[in-house]
């Protein structure tokens, strides 16, 4: 490739990203909403069958056996995904607007920035480093099998490979959205093949009764507590789709084409991959797919599968990092506009790269990480649901989302909806009081009510009260603005 | 023409079109009570049935 074509390619990437970062935040027109139910279902199923679903399944059976694990997975994902869908997909779909622009109506323009630069950024950085460590462990295992080396599962070589994964992730990410979607076209079907292959191999070597009777890997004494912790963990896993789902849903043609595929596609993909993770975790005694793939598939098939899983992690990493970096760029109020796309991606990957130096910490704290993420995403969704469905009654003025300065009816208090942020903070503290995933202290009612459901209720009630007191009764927040699409209500 | 002006013009064109000819498009329909109710029924139903299976 000569210098001029290299420059041209770089300009194309910058242009594609800049175009999505700027024009992507504009409302979509009818001809741009290209996904029907089937298209969006395929997208969500492909996203859900990712390597982290194996790990989620494997981690679930640390606490419970197969039958209870399936129940915990179904309850957790059903509740978590329903809350996630109502807190992201519905609003963005109706308006045809990118998620963080739409959330200006809830948090205010500066408030959205606060949510993005705290919760969204940290959650997605955590997932990115976890994928890097999984890649590192996969390649360490391949090396041990192929060259007879004896590298430790959390040794420095894992960090070296994890950093290589971050570098590869940066390379893919810096190539822009087209490269990411091209890679995903091959990775998603490949992972479906692996899921089926692993389940066939598992059940050819073990019986169903082995699976049903297998004991949980590392449970606590209290069975009910184990079950509820597994449910709560799966609710957190379902909620973890919140940062990316609304922006995808805006491309759908009708509300039902967004609602059901976002819920059903993720639910189906997650359940299938998690069942394999659970079965392997119980029958082989390891939650981590990088530890059970070689014993299951043998040295050649196992190593090849690990190789694919390793690279699948890189595309997953690029996919989640892309949407996050884009959200950060859009929420920065123009501050990051001067930073070139590859530099911005590199800046995002610094913290995940540092976390890769602590591979054991990232893996062993996986459940804690998912639950803590859920502690913040749960009240965020509660506040959004309360604002959109109860206060606004699905009435949002599209023009107000793009207004600024004194003309902005959604400016709240200096661009921050204090009621929304306060409700999120108070409810997150409430969640951690009900169930502290670090100390594992729980309140008695956690064993029957979960932590997420009371937190959503608290978030909604706190928000409704504070928001009425601070904004609604004073006519602030754009709650009296006309609905742009009011004509649809008469149908 | 600066880039910002171009985006502002594009935004204005889109808003005008969405407030006019595309206002009645089915894509912008609010979620009906029936659709919301059936969605919640399915989600809660899956959770309740799964919980009942464990209890039994």
């Amino acid at each position: 490739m000569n210098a001029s074509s290299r420059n041209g390619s770089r300009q194309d990437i910058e242009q594609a990203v800049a175009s999505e970062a700027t024009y992507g935040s504009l409302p979509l027109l009818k001809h741009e909403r290209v996904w029907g139910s089937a298209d969006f279902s395929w997208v969500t199923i492909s996203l859900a069958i990712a390597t982290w679903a194996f790990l989620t399944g494997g981690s679930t059976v640390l606490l419970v056996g197969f039958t209870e694990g399936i129940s915990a997975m179904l309850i957790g994902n059903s509740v978590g995904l329903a809350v996630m869908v109502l807190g992201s997909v519905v609003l963005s779909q109706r308006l045809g607007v990118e998620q963080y622009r739409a959330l200006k109506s809830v948090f205010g323009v500066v408030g959205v920035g606060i949510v993005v630069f705290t919760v969204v950024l940290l959650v997605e950085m955590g997932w990115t480093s976890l994928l890097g460590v999984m890649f590192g462990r996969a390649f360490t295992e391949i090396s041990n099998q192929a060259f007879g080396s004896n590298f430790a599962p959390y040794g420095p070589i894992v960090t070296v490979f994890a950093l290589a994964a971050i570098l590869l992730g940066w390379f893919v990410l810096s190539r822009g959205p087209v490269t990411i979607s091209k890679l995903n076209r091959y990775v998603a079907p490949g992972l479906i093949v692996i899921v089926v292959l692993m389940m066939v191999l598992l059940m050819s070597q073990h019986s169903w009764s082995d699976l049903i009777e297998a004991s949980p890997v590392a449970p606590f004494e209290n069975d009910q507590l184990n079950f509820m912790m597994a449910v709560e963990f799966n609710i957190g896993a379902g909620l973890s789709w919140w940062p990316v789902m609304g922006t995808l849903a805006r491309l759908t043609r009708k509300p039902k084409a967004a609602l059901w595929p976002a819920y059903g596609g993720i639910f189906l993909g997650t359940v299938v991959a998690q069942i394999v993770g659970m079965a392997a975790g119980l029958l082989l005694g390891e939650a981590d797919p990088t530890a059970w793939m070689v014993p299951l598939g043998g040295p050649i098939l196992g190593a090849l599968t690990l190789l694919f899983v390793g690279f699948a992690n890189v595309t997953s990493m690029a996919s989640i990092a892309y949407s996050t970096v884009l959200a950060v760029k859009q929420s920065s109020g123009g501050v990051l506009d001067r930073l070139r796309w590859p530099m911005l991606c590199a800046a995002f990957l610094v913290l995940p790269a540092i976390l890769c130096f602590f591979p054991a910490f990232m893996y062993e704290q996986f459940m804690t990480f998912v639950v803590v993420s859920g502690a913040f995403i749960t009240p965020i969704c509660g506040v959004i649901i309360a604002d959109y469905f109860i206060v606004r009654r699905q009435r949002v003025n599209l023009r107000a989302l793009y207004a600024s300065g004194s003309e902005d009816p959604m400016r709240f208090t200096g661009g921050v909806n204090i009621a929304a942020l306060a409700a999120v903070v108070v409810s997150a503290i409430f969640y951690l009081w009900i169930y502290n995933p670090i100390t594992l202290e729980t309140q008695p009612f956690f064993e029957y009510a979960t932590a997420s459901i009371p937190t959503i209720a608290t978030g909604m009630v706190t928000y409704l009260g504070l928001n009425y007191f601070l904004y609604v009764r004073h006519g602030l927040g754009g709650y009296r603005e006309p609905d742009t699409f009011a004509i649809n209500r008469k149908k | 023409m600066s880039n910002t002006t171009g985006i502002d013009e594009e935004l204005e064109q889109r808003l005008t079109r969405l407030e006019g000819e595309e206002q009645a498009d089915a894509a912008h329909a609010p979620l009906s009570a029936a659709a919301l109710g059936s969605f919640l029924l399915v989600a809660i139903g899956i959770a309740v049935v799964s919980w009942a299976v464990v209890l039994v």
Side-chain angles (χ1 to χ4, degrees):
Chain A
M1 190 188 277
N2 60 33
S4 66
S5 66
R6 240 191 338 259
N7 283 341
S9 155
R10 197 182 299 151
Q11 278 171 0
D12 288 346
I13 294 161
E14 291 282 352
Q15 209 166 19
V17 172
S19 158
E20 195 157 330
T22 50
Y23 292 99
S25 69
L26 300 181
L28 295 184
L29 297 173
K30 188 178 178 181
H31 72 273
E32 292 167 323
R33 303 177 78 149
V34 289
W35 286 346
S37 294
D39 304 303
F40 193 37
S41 296
W42 178 239
V43 169
T44 52
I45 290 171
S46 306
L47 275 174
I49 300 189
T51 47
W52 50 60
F54 293 129
L55 195 59
T56 311
S59 300
T60 300
V61 294
L62 290 173
L63 298 163
V64 289
F66 191 67
T67 315
E68 286 189 321
I70 288 189
S71 288
M73 176 184 72
L74 293 176
I75 298 166
N77 278 294
S78 187
V79 172
L81 289 173
V83 172
M84 179 281 292
V85 165
L86 295 176
S88 64
V89 166
V90 181
L91 173 60
S92 286
Q93 189 285 327
R94 182 169 190 234
L95 300 172
V97 167
E98 177 266 321
Q99 178 165 333
Y100 299 101
R101 171 66 63 174
L103 289 183
K104 182 194 167 193
S105 64
V106 183
F107 294 100
V109 68
V110 179
V112 171
I114 293 170
V115 171
V116 167
F117 277 90
T118 53
V119 179
V120 175
L121 199 56
L122 290 175
V123 166
E124 300 300 10
M125 279 178 171
W127 281 105
T128 303
S129 64
L130 193 85
L131 289 166
V133 173
M134 199 192 281
F135 178 99
R137 280 178 54 99
F139 278 77
T140 304
E141 186 65 28
I142 292 169
S143 168
N144 287 348
Q145 290 296 325
F147 308 111
S149 56
N150 195 23
F151 296 130
Y154 293 124
I157 297 299
V158 173
T159 298
V160 171
F161 279 122
L163 291 173
I166 300 260
L167 197 65
L168 264 174
W170 172 80
F171 180 77
V172 174
L173 193 56
S174 63
R175 302 286 102 183
V178 179
T179 307
I180 297 170
S181 62
K182 270 184 190 167
L183 282 172
N184 273 333
R185 262 180 239 161
Y186 300 99
V187 169
L191 282 170
I192 293 172
V193 171
I194 286 177
V195 165
V196 174
L197 181 70
M198 289 293 132
M199 199 62 194
V200 169
L201 282 172
L202 266 173
M203 296 327 294
S204 64
Q205 295 170 17
H206 300 271
S207 68
W208 278 107
S209 59
D210 289 345
L211 186 57
I212 304 294
E213 287 161 17
S215 301
V217 180
F220 297 103
E221 281 179 12
N222 183 338
D223 287 345
Q224 181 62 22
L225 193 60
N226 283 325
F227 179 68
M228 289 314 291
M229 282 180 172
V231 169
E232 195 60 53
F233 170 61
N234 277 275
I235 292 177
L239 286 166
S240 67
W241 291 101
W242 177 79
V244 296
M245 206 43 68
T247 300
L248 290 173
R250 82 196 202 283
L251 290 159
T252 55
R253 292 189 202 111
K254 287 183 180 175
K256 284 182 186 173
L259 187 74
W260 290 104
Y263 172 81
I266 296 281
F267 189 80
L268 186 68
T270 302
V271 162
V272 169
Q274 265 189 243
I275 284 177
V276 177
M278 282 199 286
L282 284 168
L283 294 171
L284 305 170
E286 285 279 0
D288 175 15
T290 63
W292 54 252
M293 280 190 169
V294 171
L296 182 63
I300 295 172
L301 185 60
L304 285 173
T305 315
L306 271 183
L307 195 69
F308 187 82
V309 164
F311 283 110
N313 277 6
V314 174
T315 55
S316 296
M317 188 191 289
S319 300
I320 61 169
Y322 179 72
S323 56
T324 312
V325 178
L326 211 56
V328 165
K329 190 176 164 77
Q330 285 169 351
S331 306
S332 70
V335 174
L336 297 175
D337 281 358
R338 286 183 187 172
L339 211 56
R340 288 190 51 221
W341 177 248
M343 285 301 292
L344 200 57
C345 298
F348 169 80
L349 292 169
V350 168
L351 185 64
I354 293 169
L355 289 172
C356 289
F357 283 91
F358 310 97
F361 173 80
M362 283 312 296
Y363 250 52
E364 284 162 9
Q365 301 304 321
F366 173 59
M367 290 186 86
T368 309
F369 165 68
V370 172
V371 175
V372 171
S373 306
F376 288 91
I377 297 176
T378 302
I380 287 175
C381 287
V383 165
I384 295 166
I385 291 167
D387 186 86
Y388 183 62
F389 286 100
I390 299 174
V391 188
R392 292 193 191 276
R393 295 179 190 173
Q394 301 189 62
R395 290 185 180 92
V396 180
N397 187 285
L398 190 58
R399 201 169 271 277
L401 292 178
Y402 294 91
S404 58
S406 59
E407 290 174 4
D408 182 5
M410 292 176 181
R411 63 185 174 279
F412 299 101
T413 309
V416 181
N417 182 337
I418 293 170
L421 290 185
V424 168
V425 172
V426 167
S427 307
I429 293 168
F430 180 63
Y431 181 108
L432 296 170
W433 174 73
I434 301 171
Y435 172 35
N436 185 329
I438 297 163
T439 63
L440 298 177
E441 282 176 72
T442 58
Q443 296 304 313
F445 62 90
F446 169 72
E447 291 183 26
Y448 304 96
T450 74
S452 292
I453 293 171
T455 300
I456 289 169
T458 308
M460 290 175 75
V461 171
T462 310
Y463 175 68
L464 291 172
L466 277 177
N467 194 49
Y468 177 77
F469 182 73
L470 290 175
Y471 303 112
V472 177
R473 72 184 182 130
H474 299 299
L476 301 172
Y479 293 100
R480 292 174 191 168
E481 291 291 308
D483 179 18
T484 305
F485 306 107
I487 198 166
N488 275 290
R489 292 177 182 273
K490 292 168 192 162
K491 289 183 177 176
Chain B
M1 186 174 67
S2 77
N3 192 29
T4 313
T5 313
I7 293 163
D8 288 344
E9 281 175 7
E10 177 69 24
L11 173 64
E12 188 50 43
Q13 278 174 15
R14 282 170 180 255
L15 288 173
T16 305
R17 203 162 150 185
L18 286 162
E19 288 164 344
E21 60 193 275
E22 293 194 10
Q23 196 187 24
D25 188 66
H28 303 293
L31 203 60
S32 68
L36 184 60
S38 55
F39 176 73
L40 289 173
L41 201 67
V42 169
I44 295 168
I46 289 173
V48 169
V49 169
S50 305
W51 206 317
V53 168
V54 173
L55 291 175
V56 172

